[in-house]
Amino acid sequence: MEVSAQTSDLEQINSWKDEVNSTRESLRSMRSQLEQLSISKTDDESLAQIEHFQNQFICQEEKADELRHDLKQSARKISDNGKPLILHDDRPVDDFDVLQDRMHTFRKLYNELRDEFKAFSAFS
């Protein structure tokens, strides 16, 4: 890989890390909102929705943590000019296209969850 391509990839990865960090903050905020909603919503349907969102937030936070870690690993690998790293068989960090696809999926799932939660919390 050329140095300019490495620099470009590293800049993109750093941008993704910033986006993942912002998403993590947003998830924390939504979780806090959900806690407030759980105080006032006590009917069975609302409680089921609250549990659904709790589970979804946990899953999304876990994916954010994994992706953040893998983006850091990928950035380190590029910065260290390909020195060997411990790679996860199920989460490759050395393939930019795979990371790009994972980031796209992460973004899509987060946006869907955020929109679904906004609709739920609007009826409060």
Side-chain angles (χ1 to χ4, degrees):
M1 184 182 294
E2 299 174 0
V3 172
S4 61
Q6 286 179 332
T7 302
S8 175
D9 287 355
L10 186 57
E11 288 172 357
Q12 182 62 63
I13 288 168
N14 285 331
S15 173
W16 289 337
K17 286 188 332 189
D18 290 342
E19 184 177 348
V20 169
N21 286 333
S22 176
T23 300
R24 292 171 75 220
E25 287 296 318
S26 179
L27 287 166
R28 285 186 202 109
S29 175
M30 287 189 292
R31 183 180 278 208
S32 179
Q33 284 180 271
L34 186 64
E35 288 174 8
Q36 292 302 312
L37 289 172
S38 70
I39 294 169
S40 62
K41 293 193 171 244
T42 57
D43 61 283
D44 289 343
E45 185 177 332
S46 293
L47 292 176
Q49 282 291 92
I50 289 168
E51 184 177 1
H52 162 75
F53 285 113
Q54 286 174 329
N55 292 336
Q56 290 302 307
F57 292 157
I58 290 168
C59 290
Q60 192 71 23
E61 288 170 349
E62 287 174 357
K63 290 299 178 190
D65 290 345
E66 288 175 1
L67 188 55
R68 182 173 175 256
H69 175 267
D70 293 348
L71 289 168
K72 281 182 169 181
Q73 288 285 88
S74 182
R76 187 176 315 145
K77 183 175 182 181
I78 291 171
S79 297
D80 292 345
N81 294 316
K83 289 182 184 174
L85 295 174
I86 298 172
L87 302 177
H88 304 281
D89 291 336
D90 60 335
R91 301 188 331 249
V93 299
D94 57 345
D95 186 335
F96 185 82
D97 292 333
V98 171
L99 284 173
Q100 186 173 30
D101 184 53
R102 287 178 58 202
M103 190 65 202
H104 174 76
T105 302
F106 174 77
R107 187 181 296 126
K108 178 181 179 287
L109 293 174
Y110 166 72
N111 288 334
E112 290 172 359
L113 177 59
R114 182 196 63 212
D115 293 345
E116 182 183 358
F117 182 67
K118 279 183 182 179
F120 172 71
S121 61
F123 291 110
S124 301

